[in-house]
Amino acid sequence: MREFEEAATLELERRNIFRAEQVCAVNEGAEWCQSFVAYHRPDAVCILEQPHAFEHVAKAGRAVFGKLAQVSLKAGTNSSANNCEKVIHKWYWTSWDSLVR
């Protein structure tokens, strides 16, 4: 991995990444991605891209709600699990501002 990080240095220099006041890195959250960003710009703001963020939300939902989530979603009840699904759907298809309000 270190070999790849070092090889990318010239390209990042060409793109002025090291001179930028602020840098953000949108990625899938894999360890190698985070390591790459930390190697070159430890001060960068890391942003987990949306589909992978949903994976983590879904994993947390399954851990919290377990089988209750599966049953209530199939039945269409107004449980916390069902509400969580609605929030995720809204989050995906609408602007982020609508969720913060």
Side-chain angles (χ1 to χ4, degrees):
M1 181 62 197
R2 195 60 61 186
E3 201 174 308
F4 173 68
E5 291 169 342
E6 290 171 2
T9 300
L10 288 175
E11 180 60 21
L12 294 174
E13 180 62 42
R14 185 182 76 78
R15 293 174 181 247
N16 294 315
I17 298 297
F18 302 115
R19 285 178 251 185
E21 278 186 46
Q22 294 181 321
V23 173
C24 69
V26 179
N27 64 64
E28 67 173 19
E31 284 186 43
W32 78 266
C33 294
Q34 294 179 27
S35 173
F36 183 87
V37 172
Y39 179 80
H40 292 291
R41 283 299 298 253
D43 62 327
V45 174
C46 292
I47 301 170
L48 184 62
E49 48 92 4
Q50 208 172 35
H52 285 90
F54 290 143
E55 275 184 38
H56 294 287
V57 170
K59 187 176 182 180
R62 284 191 299 274
V64 170
F65 298 111
K67 291 190 179 202
L68 172 65
Q70 294 172 350
V71 171
S72 63
L73 287 174
K74 285 179 185 174
T77 62
N78 197 19
S79 69
S80 296
N82 198 31
N83 289 336
C84 183
E85 178 72 16
K86 288 177 184 175
V87 168
I88 291 172
H89 186 270
K90 183 176 181 180
W91 185 22
Y92 188 80
W93 293 108
T94 62
S95 73
W96 294 88
D97 291 341
S98 67
L99 293 172
V100 177
R101 291 183 195 146

